[in-house]
């Protein structure tokens, strides 16, 4: 039995904000099932009591003096945006005006 | 005397500093070389002709004023398309960032400029560094200079191909699971993944933040040492960059390996390794033994689990990192979005390619409620075991020597239908990223089909010096000249 179903793929695509066409949906069911099946290898290992490696290097907190530094000028930050009004990024309506 | 584009970076820098050649002359030689061969190789995604010449002229003027020049004086360095530059665009070979102009330079780019390097342009890669063949680029298909029907490896395939075809003196790439070392091996150049934390990641567009490192792809080990001298070191802009002193790596190239202990991990020499590749690696080990190194068999018992761990942790981190591409602040925005939800969905679905979407899906799945412990947490625990394997091995030896890739360069399309098979081409390189240790690939011969093979050397955390010393000693005594790829010979 396949561990990954179309329902799983749809659910994950929803979380990831991806829209899949029929072909991609079917392909991802197949591929994710094979790839996650391969991950079962990890269950061969007993990891009881093993501390998970959360960081690549054993570093403690990195502190710096709490002083105001230079920030990127606003116009420079806005320049890269698809749409802006000189002060803010512009996006389509967040709430449906009909419903409010 | 060979043409300037065929010279090593340290020769070029030396000649520019003494005035034996001008930076402009060197830069023009490389630009002509790009014109001559890049139509076939397709390494560059953009060439900054005028900027490179202007920069070279400024370096020459500096010399004429009697000012001292930097360690990379007049050396043309190609940049992987995910390194932020205020010049040109930083598109990560993705539709998502097509035309994106970074408002700032990556720290490594600033360091190159400060060392008086010349930047001829950006080179191709797998989209957002996800891939092992550069076939996932949304921009173009980069070909292997040794055989134009073969892939250059990936994800830093453009970096490796541009070095192999003499289209730059060296290149910078990034390595998350082998993305510098594997293409270096497949294109016959030297490639270094430094210790995690050695090089600032500020301005490197993130793929998997606990694994990514920037490193050089060069024509020899001395150039790799020279490049590392410039790019390594603590940077306040990257809190994960380590406050560990950076030695002069070129001083570590003593040519001596007498008394060094070389570990041979038995799990890397199994039937997965083709006989021809095995023979090349064994011959390389014999060269190091002849130079007085001792070899010892070691075990890295969790090697076989590395790929599974990597393809849980890296997509998980990628799915979080790539969430920022939402069509609001930079990059692509789908024109049809009428609501903000539409904006995210349409932008991501249209902006990201197939492999990137696959990894976002995998990463989102393994982090999702109900699966987090079974996949992500489990992978982090096995990652700890893999790291312990290396700690134990390095109690018995100074460096580890292995193949870089189980096979030489493969043909276009050979592995694109089966993502899992493509993922398995990283089996020998992934563990160094998981354990955060440094690794280098050095050319160790040509197969009967005329394709390069790579030898991998890995060392303890922050011990690039010993790793480079062994690589350099091997390079000096390997007893053959790897030569130039056919594209270089043909067009010269």
């Amino acid at each position: 039995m396949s561990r990954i179903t179309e329902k799983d793929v749809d659910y994950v695509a929803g979380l990831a904000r991806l829209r899949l066409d029929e072909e991609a949906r079917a392909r991802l069911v197949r591929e994710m099932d094979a790839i996650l099946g391969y991950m079962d290898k990890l269950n061969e290992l007993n990891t009881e009591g093993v501390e998970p490696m959360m960081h690549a290097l054993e570093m403690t907190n990195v502190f710096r003096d709490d002083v105001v530094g230079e920030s990127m000028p606003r116009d420079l930050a806005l320049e890269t945006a698809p749409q802006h009004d000189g002060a803010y990024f512009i996006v389509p309506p967040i709430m449906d005006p009909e419903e409010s | 005397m060979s043409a300037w584009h065929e010279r090593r970076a340290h020769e070029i820098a030396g000649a520019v500093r003494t005035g034996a050649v001008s930076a402009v002359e060197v830069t023009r030689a490389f630009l002509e070389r790009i014109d001559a061969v890049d139509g076939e190789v397709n390494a560059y995604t953009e060439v900054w002709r005028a900027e490179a010449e202007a920069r070279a002229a400024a370096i020459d003027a500096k010399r004429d004023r009697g000012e001292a020049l930097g360690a990379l004086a007049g050396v043309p360095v190609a940049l992987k398309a995910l390194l932020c530059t205020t010049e040109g665009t930083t598109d990560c070979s993705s539709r998502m960032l097509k035309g994106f102009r970074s408002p700032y330079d990556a720290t490594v780019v600033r360091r190159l400029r400060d060392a008086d390097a010349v930047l001829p342009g950006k080179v191709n890669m797998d989209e957002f560094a996800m891939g092992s063949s550069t076939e996932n680029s949304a921009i173009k298909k980069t070909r292997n200079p040794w055989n134009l029907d073969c892939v250059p490896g990936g994800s830093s395939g453009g970096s490796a191909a541009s070095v192999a075809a003499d289209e730059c003196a060296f290149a910078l790439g990034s390595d998350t699971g082998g993305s510098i070392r594997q293409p270096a091996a497949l294109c016959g150049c030297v490639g270094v993944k430094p210790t995690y934390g050695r090089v600032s990641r500020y301005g490197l567009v993130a793929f998997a933040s606990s694994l990514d490192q920037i490193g050089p792809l060069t024509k020899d080990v001395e150039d790799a040492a020279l490049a590392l001298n410039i790019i390594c070191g603590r940077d306040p802009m990257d809190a994960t960059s380590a406050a560990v002193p950076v030695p002069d790596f070129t001083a570590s190239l003593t040519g001596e390996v007498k008394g060094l202990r070389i570990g041979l991990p038995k799990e890397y020499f199994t039937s997965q390794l083709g006989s021809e590749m095995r023979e090349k690696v064994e011959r390389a080990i014999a060269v190091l033994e002849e130079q007085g190194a001792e070899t010892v068999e070691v075990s890295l018992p969790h090697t076989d689990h590395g790929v599974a761990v990597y393809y849980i942790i890296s997509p998980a981190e990628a799915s979080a990192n790539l969430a920022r591409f939402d069509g609001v602040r930079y990059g692509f925005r789908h024109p049809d979005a009428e609501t903000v939800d539409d904006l995210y969905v349409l932008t991501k679905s249209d902006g990201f390619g197939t492999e990137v979407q696959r990894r976002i899906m995998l990463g989102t799945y393994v982090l999702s409620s109900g699966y987090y412990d079974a996949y992500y947490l489990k992978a982090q625990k096995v990652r700890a075991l893999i790291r312990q394997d290396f700690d134990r091995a390095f109690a018995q030896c100074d460096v580890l020597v292995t193949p870089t890739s189980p096979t030489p360069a493969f043909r276009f399309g050979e592995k694109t239908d089966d993502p899992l098979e493509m993922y398995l081409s990283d089996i020998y390189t992934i563990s160094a990223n998981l354990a955060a240790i440094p690794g280098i690939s050095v050319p160790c011969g040509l197969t009967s089909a005329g394709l390069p093979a790579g030898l991998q050397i890995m060392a303890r955390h922050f011990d690039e010096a010993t790793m480079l010393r062994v690589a350099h000693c091997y390079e000096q005594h390997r007893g053959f000249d790897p030569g130039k790829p056919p594209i270089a010979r043909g067009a010269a």
Side-chain angles (χ1 to χ4, degrees):
Chain A
M1 199 191 85
S2 175
R3 87 177 58 205
I4 298 293
T5 63
E6 291 204 351
K7 209 175 127 199
D8 295 323
V9 166
D10 288 344
Y11 173 68
V12 175
L15 293 176
R17 299 280 189 276
L18 290 173
R19 179 175 295 173
L20 307 172
D21 61 25
E22 271 312 306
E23 183 269 324
R25 199 158 159 249
R27 183 171 50 73
L28 279 163
V29 170
R30 209 169 56 239
E31 289 172 352
M32 286 177 69
D33 195 61
I35 295 166
L36 293 164
Y38 178 79
M39 306 308 183
D40 279 347
K41 270 172 109 63
L42 299 184
N43 295 325
E44 297 164 0
L45 300 172
N46 180 2
T47 51
E48 227 183 280
V50 177
E51 275 298 306
M53 184 171 161
M54 302 275 193
H55 300 285
L57 293 176
E58 282 144 20
M59 274 182 170
T60 44
N61 287 340
V62 178
F63 293 113
R64 61 169 172 78
D65 293 334
D66 187 19
V67 288
V68 179
E70 256 185 68
S71 297
M72 188 180 291
R74 183 167 67 182
D75 53 336
L76 205 59
L78 286 168
E79 218 169 67
T80 60
Q83 203 187 347
H84 66 85
D85 68 357
Y88 296 100
F89 299 114
I90 302 292
V91 294
I94 292 174
M95 312 244 262
D96 187 343
E98 307 274 302
E99 280 174 26
S100 57
Chain B
M1 197 178 90
S2 57
W4 284 106
H5 63 261
E6 293 178 357
R7 304 286 197 92
R8 323 266 143 160
H10 60 267
E11 295 174 74
I12 293 171
V16 170
R17 268 203 304 273
T18 60
V21 66
S22 70
V24 168
E25 192 183 329
V26 170
T27 298
R28 285 190 181 145
F30 278 94
L31 291 170
E32 279 168 25
R33 176 67 182 170
I34 294 168
D35 289 339
V37 300
D38 207 51
E40 287 200 90
V41 178
N42 282 302
Y44 279 85
T45 52
E46 51 191 64
V47 178
W48 304 334
R49 215 167 283 277
E51 295 89 336
E53 286 203 33
R55 172 96 188 125
I59 293 164
D60 289 334
K62 194 171 161 185
R63 208 195 82 85
D64 291 346
R65 287 193 304 270
E67 290 175 44
L69 295 184
L72 296 177
V75 173
V77 183
L79 300 171
K80 188 173 180 178
L82 48 40
L83 293 168
C84 286
T85 49
T86 49
E87 267 171 304
T89 70
T90 301
D91 65 17
C92 297
S93 292
S94 176
R95 268 171 61 76
M96 187 58 94
L97 284 173
K98 190 170 190 295
F100 169 67
R101 304 183 77 86
S102 171
Y104 62 91
D105 278 326
T107 296
V108 290
V109 172
R110 186 179 50 73
R111 283 174 176 254
L112 290 176
R113 291 189 205 278
D114 290 349
D116 290 323
V118 171
L119 307 175
K122 287 290 192 38
V123 284
N124 201 22
M125 57 186 278
D126 283 299
E127 182 179 6
F128 285 106
M130 298 178 189
S132 310
S133 67
T134 311
E135 288 167 289
N136 295 329
S137 166
I139 312 291
K140 49 164 52 169
K141 180 162 129 178
T142 297
R143 302 200 277 179
N144 191 317
W146 291 87
N147 181 337
L148 296 173
D149 296 325
C150 288
V151 302
S155 66
S156 308
S159 304
S162 65
V163 173
D166 290 332
E167 297 180 71
C168 60
F170 75 89
L172 291 187
S174 65
D175 189 315
T176 307
S179 280
I180 288 173
R181 290 159 290 156
Q182 185 257 20
L186 271 48
C187 288
C189 41
V190 172
V192 181
K193 181 204 92 77
T195 309
Y196 184 85
R198 242 327 173 193
V199 180
S200 168
R201 293 181 294 112
Y202 180 68
L204 165 74
V205 177
F207 162 13
S209 306
S210 80
L211 301 162
D212 297 341
Q213 265 301 281
I214 299 167
L217 293 95
T218 60
K219 295 178 192 179
D220 67 8
V221 177
E222 187 172 345
D223 281 0
L226 181 68
L228 289 171
N229 278 354
I230 302 302
I231 64 171
C232 291
R234 165 96 182 116
D235 173 19
M237 299 304 281
D238 173 5
T240 64
S241 69
V244 175
V246 180
D248 176 1
F249 291 116
T250 57
S252 66
L253 311 179
T254 59
E256 276 280 325
V257 292
K258 198 163 279 167
L260 273 185
R261 282 170 307 164
I262 293 178
L264 307 174
K266 61 179 185 194
E267 292 81 2
Y268 283 60
F269 295 90
T270 61
S271 58
Q272 274 164 310
L273 180 62
S275 60
E276 214 183 349
M277 298 299 270
R278 174 191 297 263
E279 183 240 327
K280 304 274 171 227
V281 172
E282 283 172 352
R283 197 180 302 164
I285 293 164
V287 168
L288 289 167
E289 283 175 331
E290 279 159 28
Q291 294 305 312
E294 292 166 34
T295 51
V296 49
E297 186 184 272
V298 297
S299 175
L300 299 167
H302 298 94
T303 298
D304 202 28
H305 296 90
V307 173
V309 170
Y310 178 81
Y311 280 97
I312 291 170
I313 290 177
S314 68
E317 294 184 12
S319 72
N321 273 327
L322 269 56
R324 76 190 64 185
F325 299 106
D326 53 11
V328 175
R329 290 153 299 166
Y330 29 66
F332 173 69
R333 168 183 287 196
H334 199 284
D336 298 343
E338 287 179 4
T339 66
V340 85
D341 243 357
D342 266 7
L343 174 71
Y344 301 153
V345 172
L346 294 174
T347 299
K348 286 169 189 291
S349 305
D350 225 40
F352 291 133
T354 306
E355 180 63 25
V356 174
Q357 292 198 29
R358 179 153 51 224
R359 303 233 190 154
I360 291 172
M361 288 289 289
L362 276 172
T364 306
Y365 181 84
V366 299
L367 289 176
S368 67
S369 169
Y371 297 102
Y372 180 90
D373 287 2
Y375 291 99
Y376 188 63
L377 193 64
K378 181 80 182 180
Q380 284 186 314
K381 289 181 175 182
V382 181
R383 184 176 181 184
L385 296 177
I386 289 171
R387 193 195 153 141
Q388 283 170 21
D389 284 355
F390 280 95
D391 289 346
R392 288 195 187 113
F394 284 126
Q396 295 169 260
C397 61
D398 300 298
V399 293
L400 294 164
V401 169
T402 75
T404 306
S405 160
T407 64
F410 43 92
R411 288 182 178 262
F412 289 100
E414 202 176 306
K415 298 187 182 190
T416 43
D417 290 340
D418 184 352
L420 197 52
E421 204 194 322
M422 188 73 94
Y423 297 171
L424 288 169
S425 52
D426 302 332
I427 49 171
Y428 297 140
T429 47
I430 273 174
S431 296
N433 300 78
L434 293 173
I437 60 171
I440 186 171
S441 181
V442 193
C444 67
L446 292 180
T447 64
S448 52
L451 291 168
L455 181 76
Q456 178 175 238
I457 303 164
M458 296 179 278
R460 297 184 185 102
H461 293 109
F462 299 105
D463 195 13
E464 286 85 359
T466 304
M467 178 181 87
L468 291 164
R469 173 148 70 105
V470 176
H472 179 254
C473 178
Y474 167 67
E475 184 187 61
Q476 300 305 303
H477 296 102
R478 65 189 161 193
F480 64 89
D481 176 1
K484 292 281 180 189
I487 185 111
R489 292 196 297 263

